[in-house]
Amino acid sequence: MKFIVAIDGTAASGKGTLAKKTANHFGFKYLDTGILYRVVAYYLKSSEIHSEISKQNIQDSLKLLFNKDFQLSLLRNKEISLKASIISKNKIVRDNLLTYQREFAMQEGGTVLDGRDIGTVVCPNADVKIFVDADIEIRAKRRYNQYLKHNSNLNLRDIIDELTKRDNFDRNRQLSPLASAKDAYLLDTSNITPAEGFKKIIQLISKKLKK
C-alpha cells in the first residue's frame, strides 16, 4: 500500500511533533524534510570542500543521516539554521533533495513527510494534506520555552522578530515558497492542545484510509 500524508506549516506551529506522532500511530515511515537542508548545510560547513554546491556534495551529505554515530543534535543550532535557509534557495540543492523526498514518499507501507512545500511541490497528489499554523505570539512562546532549556538569556520579542523574518522568507522565496495547498486541511493550533490537534489528524487520515 502506498499512502502519502503531507504536513506543511509555519515554524513552531507544532507540525513536526504532530507528524512524528502520526507516523508512529499508523506505522508509516517519517521524514522531516527540513533536516535534509540542515545536513547539507552542516556537511558543507564541516568539510574542507570550498567548491560550489554539487550533486555529489549533496549525496555525500545525506549519507550522514544513515551514520549511526552521527549526532543529529549538531544540526539544531542557529548557525546551521541560517545556512540551511540560505542554501534552500539554491536550485541544485532543491532539485536533488526533491528527488530524494519523492522517492521516500513512494515507499510501500505509507509515509508522512513534513516541511514547507510537501503538499504543493513535493507530493501534490498526496492522499492527505494538512497545513498547520498558529498565531505568531503563541508560536514565539513555544519556541521561547524550547530554547529556555539551553539559553537563559532570551528575549521573547527577539524570537517574534526571528519568526516573522522566517515566515516572510519562506512565503516569498522564489523556489517552492511556503503555501497551503488548495485542498489541504487547515489546522490552527493556537488554542488547542497537542492532543486535540493529533486527534483531528488521526480522524482525517482514518477517514481517507477507509475509502
Side-chain angles (χ1 to χ4, degrees):
M1 175 195 75
K2 292 180 181 178
F3 190 93
I4 304 171
V5 179
I7 301 182
D8 293 304
T10 52
S13 61
K15 73 179 186 304
T17 299
L18 290 169
K20 288 177 191 174
K21 290 185 67 175
T22 298
N24 288 335
H25 179 85
F26 288 102
F28 292 169
K29 298 178 181 66
Y30 167 68
L31 177 63
D32 170 5
T33 61
I35 205 94
L36 302 179
Y37 292 93
R38 287 174 177 270
V39 78
V40 173
Y42 175 85
Y43 180 81
L44 293 176
K45 171 184 174 294
S46 63
S47 69
E48 295 181 358
I49 298 172
H50 298 291
S51 59
E52 293 183 5
I53 294 173
S54 68
K55 180 178 180 180
Q56 187 61 53
N57 288 349
I58 296 167
Q59 292 177 341
D60 288 343
S61 68
L62 293 179
K63 293 176 183 177
L64 290 175
L65 297 176
F66 303 99
N67 183 342
K68 62 181 181 180
D69 295 322
F70 181 71
Q71 298 178 1
L72 292 179
S73 60
L74 294 173
L75 306 178
R76 303 293 185 184
N77 61 62
K78 283 193 174 184
E79 183 182 0
I80 296 299
S81 295
L82 178 60
K83 193 174 181 90
S85 294
I86 293 171
I87 67 168
S88 70
K89 295 186 292 185
N90 185 285
K91 191 175 187 301
I92 296 176
V93 174
R94 295 207 74 85
D95 287 349
N96 280 276
L97 294 187
L98 177 61
T99 299
Y100 180 88
Q101 291 169 77
R102 285 179 171 167
E103 289 176 351
F104 181 94
M106 292 305 293
Q107 294 180 86
E108 291 286 342
T111 54
V112 177
L113 292 83
D114 88 66
R116 299 288 194 279
D117 61 347
I118 309 304
T120 53
V121 176
V122 180
C123 301
N125 296 318
D127 297 278
V128 175
K129 300 177 188 177
I130 299 164
F131 190 89
V132 186
D133 200 1
D135 293 336
I136 193 160
E137 290 83 3
I138 291 175
R139 290 192 282 133
K141 287 179 182 177
R142 291 172 181 167
R143 181 61 55 86
Y144 175 83
N145 291 330
Q146 180 184 7
Y147 285 167
L148 199 59
K149 301 174 185 177
H150 309 288
N151 182 5
S152 58
N153 299 316
L154 289 173
N155 183 295
L156 186 59
R157 183 69 252 174
D158 289 342
I159 295 178
I160 292 175
D161 291 342
E162 178 186 317
L163 289 177
T164 300
K165 290 178 182 177
R166 179 65 187 271
D167 287 350
N168 290 334
F169 174 84
D170 287 340
R171 293 183 188 280
N172 297 310
R173 70 187 179 202
Q174 204 167 20
L175 294 173
S176 304
L178 168 68
S180 173
K182 293 181 179 179
D183 54 346
Y185 176 83
L186 300 180
L187 179 63
D188 189 329
T189 63
S190 300
N191 299 305
I192 62 174
T193 65
E196 289 171 332
F198 178 60
K199 181 178 180 181
K200 185 61 185 178
I201 290 176
I202 297 307
Q203 291 173 341
L204 289 169
I205 296 173
S206 297
K207 183 178 180 180
K208 189 74 174 182
L209 283 168
K210 289 178 182 178
K211 289 184 178 181

